[in-house]
Amino acid sequence: AAAAPAAPQAPGAEWTEYKDNSGRAYYHNRLTNTTTYEKPDALKSLGERTLPPCKWKEYTMPDGKKYYSDGASSVWTEPAELTA
């Protein structure tokens, strides 16, 4: 007898969300064994998927001070794109 096909999984079922030591969320894909701080599209809500991507990311210094970088430059004050 042929084995029954596996039941389809919900989109994003292969991803698990964790928190690092600073409380920042990160995601692990058990199928590809990849880990990322970027929320996978499969886990994003419709609203998150329709937002244009923001180039700015928030980072935290070892002393707790936050800064923002777009990959080319860094600033101490939160860019308007993040507060919109």
Side-chain angles (χ1 to χ4, degrees):
Q9 291 190 331
E14 70 275 16
W15 290 98
T16 303
E17 180 178 332
Y18 297 96
K19 301 281 185 186
D20 67 14
N21 291 338
S22 69
R24 183 176 173 198
Y26 68 95
Y27 307 88
H28 178 77
N29 183 310
R30 65 178 172 76
L31 300 179
T32 62
N33 201 32
T34 56
T35 302
T36 180
Y37 279 103
E38 295 293 323
K39 190 173 188 178
D41 287 340
L43 297 180
K44 291 180 181 177
S45 67
L46 177 60
E48 289 172 315
R49 289 192 307 269
T50 57
L51 286 173
C54 180
K55 62 183 178 176
W56 292 97
K57 304 286 182 214
E58 180 183 275
Y59 298 94
T60 305
M61 298 285 293
D63 65 2
K65 185 171 183 178
K66 295 188 182 311
Y67 70 97
Y68 306 87
S69 177
D70 66 359
S73 59
S74 296
V75 295
W76 292 111
T77 55
E78 188 170 13
E81 293 95 331
L82 289 177
T83 60

